[in-house]
Amino acid sequence: MTEGSSPGAPEPRRGMPSPELSRAAFTARFLSRFADPAFAPLKAELDRVAAVAWDGYIQGRKSPVTRKAGPGYADPTYDLAVDWLNARAALDAAEARHADPAGPLRALLINGSSRSEHTCPGEMSKSWRLTQIAEAALQEAGLATTVLDLSRLASEFGRDIHPCKACFSTAAALCHWPCSCYPNYSLGQVQDWMNDIYPLWVEAHAIFIVTPVNWYQVSSPMKLMMDRLVCADGGNPDPTLTRGKDPKAAKAVELAGWGYPRHLAGRVFSVVVHGDVEGAENVRRSVSDWLTSMKLTPAGPDAELDRYIGYWEPYATSHEALDRDGGVQAEVRLAAQELAQAATARREGRLVRTDEGLGGPRQK
């Protein structure tokens, strides 16, 4: 597919103010991470590093290490970022694990809270405790489990999820699977966690999400991950179709007919949302709606849970409130057990996706 195959593709709209920094502003911002006086003896070296970083920035060297796409792509001669090719290979390996009937059933558990005793709050989260309860129940049911602890965004050095740039809203095909927006070396947008997270979702047969309510919404780490999973739902697995990030070429590809591949369809899920005084039901609905919109399957009537722990009680005693709440602990175990049964039934062909083989008139 080329741009010329759809001459009616509209021109991308432009006109926003430029975010480009002056060299002085860039250098000051770059060096601000070395404010510790311990770096003072290295000032000359850091100035040289800053000069190289400025050159990459002003030249726009987003992906400085590339190689030819090779066989299997629409344009085998196109230069693709090695970072992206490695991420693509990790997805392919994860998909093979998912599809292997002799492999274990895998459950991905996601702790959506940013609270941790390893940074400012000084205390673990209730989400972590509920995730541990669910993991024990899934392991008892024979599933292999992996915990994705999103609190590490706040407590671990060099651990980031950069925001979604909304490529999908320009054209579906511009959103690559996996995401090719990062790393962007010219902007210093590196150490992005999503290339490690995508394979965890792909290899899993069952997804168990625990999130607190933060201001009537999921936590900020959860929302970052959710937005960056947009490429899993309709994203383009071949960046050579769009000549990388060429927006007009992507518009032409979409207008010529786009299949909206559902890369995570068929996995089963459970959602547990807990709050203190408000918002739990709405957050549970929004997370469940998000997952079902990607064609994941709810595990059952007890697998989607919203509860208040220590309703209107002091935050200082919220863990003690969870200690007393044997009911919610039992409900989390039940949600995990139901998820395990759904994953087993799905593999054995007893849980059939009723939408399989059907396509709606509108994809997005």
Side-chain angles (χ1 to χ4, degrees):
M1 191 78 63
T2 65
E3 180 182 345
S5 65
S6 182
E11 291 291 335
R13 303 292 182 96
R14 295 186 169 96
M16 296 174 69
S18 172
E20 186 172 292
L21 302 176
S22 68
R23 181 164 187 170
F26 174 89
T27 301
R29 190 173 294 182
F30 180 85
L31 292 175
S32 66
R33 70 191 68 186
F34 304 107
D36 188 331
F39 288 104
L42 302 175
K43 182 181 183 306
E45 290 89 342
L46 288 172
D47 286 343
R48 289 197 294 272
V49 172
V52 174
W54 163 256
D55 186 66
Y57 169 75
I58 205 65
Q59 298 296 328
R61 291 198 296 273
K62 172 182 181 286
S63 302
V65 183
T66 63
R67 67 172 173 81
K68 301 300 181 186
Y73 291 92
D75 181 358
T77 67
Y78 189 85
D79 291 321
L80 287 177
V82 168
D83 289 307
W84 188 87
L85 288 166
N86 289 340
R88 176 74 250 177
L91 285 192
D92 291 341
E95 184 58 50
R97 292 192 294 274
H98 176 85
D100 183 3
L105 279 172
R106 293 181 172 87
L108 173 63
L109 298 100
I110 299 170
N111 168 34
S113 176
S114 56
R115 189 154 68 114
S116 164
E117 74 261 37
H118 300 295
T119 186
C120 300
E123 184 175 52
M124 70 166 65
S125 67
K126 296 185 293 297
S127 294
W128 173 258
R129 291 180 59 188
L130 298 177
T131 300
Q132 295 297 101
I133 291 170
E135 183 179 31
L138 287 164
Q139 289 177 346
E140 288 169 9
L143 275 68
T145 60
T146 299
V147 174
L148 173 58
D149 180 10
L150 293 178
S151 75
R152 287 181 174 270
L153 286 175
S155 62
E156 183 178 330
F157 176 80
R159 185 63 78 195
D160 296 301
I161 295 178
H162 294 295
C164 176
K165 295 181 180 179
C167 296
F168 209 108
S169 294
T170 292
L174 196 62
C175 183
H176 299 150
W177 169 247
C179 176
S180 66
C181 294
Y182 305 102
N184 185 325
Y185 293 96
S186 67
L187 295 180
Q189 295 168 339
V190 296
Q191 298 172 326
D192 186 71
W193 200 4
M194 288 305 298
N195 280 344
D196 296 322
I197 290 175
Y198 291 132
L200 299 180
W201 279 78
V202 170
E203 73 178 6
H205 303 91
I207 307 292
F208 194 103
I209 294 177
V210 183
T211 182
V213 178
N214 287 6
W215 285 119
Y216 295 89
Q217 300 289 341
V218 297
S219 67
S220 48
M222 266 289 296
K223 191 60 169 67
L224 284 166
M225 180 191 67
M226 289 170 68
D227 285 353
R228 292 289 303 286
L229 278 163
V230 65
C231 58
D233 193 59
N236 173 13
D238 186 353
T240 73
L241 282 172
T242 57
R243 298 197 298 275
K245 287 291 187 178
D246 184 325
K248 188 170 182 181
K251 287 174 182 284
V253 170
E254 180 179 349
L255 292 174
W258 187 248
Y260 295 91
R262 308 282 189 166
H263 300 291
L264 297 176
R267 288 152 182 83
V268 292
F269 73 84
S270 175
V271 172
V272 172
V273 175
H274 65 94
D276 301 297
V277 297
E278 54 208 0
E281 184 177 13
N282 288 340
V283 171
R284 187 262 303 162
R285 285 175 174 167
S286 69
V287 175
S288 295
D289 286 351
W290 165 63
L291 292 165
T292 54
S293 76
M294 294 197 296
K295 304 300 183 183
L296 279 74
T297 302
D302 305 301
E304 297 172 69
L305 187 68
D306 56 84
R307 292 291 182 266
Y308 294 104
I309 300 171
Y311 186 68
W312 281 113
E313 295 179 16
Y315 292 104
T317 56
S318 64
H319 274 288
E320 286 70 22
L322 178 55
D323 290 340
R324 296 191 302 271
D325 199 336
V328 76
Q329 295 180 44
E331 287 174 317
V332 170
R333 279 192 292 272
L334 178 59
Q337 290 163 348
E338 209 158 280
L339 182 68
Q341 290 191 11
T344 301
R346 175 77 176 144
R347 170 172 278 189
E348 294 174 354
R350 295 183 287 109
L351 179 62
V352 180
R353 279 177 52 205
T354 55
D355 66 308
E356 213 154 18
L358 303 175
R362 299 181 182 133
Q363 295 293 330
K364 276 283 188 182

